[in-house]
Amino acid sequence: MDERLDLGIREFNEGRYFEAHDILEDFWQGYREPDRVLLQALIHAAVGFYHLENGNLKGCRSQLSKACTKMRAYLPEHWDLLLEPLHSSMKEHVDLIEEQGHTRADSLDLPVRPQIQRGHRVAGGFLSIS
Amino acid sequence: MATFITEECINCGACEPECPNTAIYAGGVQWEFQGATHDAISNDFYYIVPEKCTECVGHFEKEQCAAVCPVDCCVPDPNKPETEDVLYARAKQLHPDRTFAELSPATSRFRK
């Protein structure tokens, strides 16, 4: 896979969401395979958490919702990405924002930001490698 | 209806060079039309000037800003509904020196 996927995921996992989106977007623009939708889902995820960090809860909710929708077809894993934990966390964020209202980010009780985990399939489950 | 950019925009700028009508501006940048300049519609993120947007009618089969937007934040403005005829007339007005082909699925999303 393109090294920009590695770089983008690294930035995401270190909380540099704008940088993650930027790298993944550069990859997505030229990637024409059918599963480019998953790349866009990862961009939505990065932008969603970027908006959350900046207090834009409406933008966060909308972007994470789009990420969840586009990622659904690729669950539980695609390429070497273990997508189920990320998908679940994003859905949890969306649900909590909707339940608690979306006016002020600092007043919300939200879970820890998720990581994008990587791994490969082994008998009986996945072996996470990062 | 004119296309508009929602607050989900992350200011990547991918849309701006794709607009055939130069209707897209960065936040805070004044927009120009017929020799006059106007205050920015948004100071925070990219915006589309409705008076210059034709939803790509006359040019392409679908809105080019939306096609390249990685976060799907270029969307039709439900508060500014416009017909294909209005948008096509605007395209001709914006580009008086250009000869436009008959509308078809290749030049209007209304025909798809």
Side-chain angles (χ1 to χ4, degrees):
Chain A
M1 208 56 191
D2 193 286
E3 67 173 4
R4 287 170 291 185
L5 182 64
D6 299 331
L7 290 171
I9 289 174
R10 189 180 310 156
E11 296 288 356
F12 184 99
N13 287 343
E14 293 182 3
R16 292 191 287 271
Y17 298 116
F18 187 90
E19 290 80 0
H21 126 273
D22 211 25
I23 293 165
L24 293 171
E25 179 187 333
D26 186 61
F27 182 22
W28 172 77
Q29 294 285 5
Y31 187 76
R32 295 293 161 191
E33 299 301 318
D35 53 6
R36 78 190 295 259
V37 174
L38 176 57
L39 271 179
Q40 194 181 14
L42 296 176
I43 294 168
H44 284 308
V47 173
F49 287 111
Y50 171 80
H51 283 325
L52 182 59
E53 298 286 317
N54 289 282
N56 179 355
L57 290 176
K58 188 176 175 184
C60 169
R61 186 194 61 76
S62 181
Q63 285 294 304
L64 294 187
S65 293
K66 290 174 183 175
C68 286
T69 299
K70 288 175 179 166
M71 190 174 291
R72 201 168 296 140
Y74 299 95
L75 296 175
E77 56 87 19
H78 191 75
W79 301 321
D80 66 341
L81 307 181
L82 310 183
L83 298 169
E84 188 67 55
L86 174 63
H87 182 269
S88 296
S89 178
M90 291 193 297
K91 189 171 184 316
E92 187 179 6
H93 277 80
V94 170
D95 291 345
L96 285 170
I97 290 171
E98 289 177 350
E99 285 171 16
Q100 299 179 34
H102 40 77
T103 52
R104 286 184 53 193
D106 58 3
S107 65
L108 290 182
D109 182 19
L110 296 173
V112 174
R113 312 283 186 270
Q115 300 271 299
I116 300 174
Q117 299 174 25
R118 313 192 74 168
H120 58 271
R121 189 184 293 273
V122 295
F126 289 109
L127 174 63
S128 178
I129 56 174
S130 64
Chain B
M1 58 196 80
T3 307
F4 86 115
I5 297 176
T6 73
E7 62 192 296
E8 294 171 64
C9 173
I10 197 167
N11 286 316
C12 72
C15 55
E16 184 184 8
E18 303 300 325
C19 179
N21 303 314
T22 61
I24 302 177
Y25 294 82
V29 174
Q30 290 187 316
W31 59 279
E32 299 176 6
F33 187 46
Q34 296 176 336
T37 58
H38 307 267
D39 288 342
I41 293 173
S42 169
N43 289 315
D44 300 320
F45 44 81
Y46 280 79
Y47 66 90
I48 298 174
V49 177
E51 292 85 346
K52 299 175 75 174
C53 177
T54 67
E55 298 179 34
C56 286
V57 167
H59 301 283
F60 300 106
E61 61 181 332
K62 60 182 179 181
E63 302 95 317
Q64 296 302 286
C65 54
V68 300
C69 178
V71 296
D72 292 346
C73 71
C74 301
V75 297
D77 186 348
N79 296 317
K80 291 187 174 64
E82 292 177 305
T83 65
E84 181 190 51
D85 287 343
V86 167
L87 295 166
Y88 190 46
R90 182 176 300 145
K92 289 179 174 178
Q93 179 193 16
L94 289 168
H95 305 277
D97 299 332
R98 177 177 161 180
T99 302
F100 284 86
E102 290 279 314
L103 289 176
S104 71
T107 57
S108 173
R109 68 177 184 81
F110 291 82
R111 306 293 175 114
K112 292 180 74 65

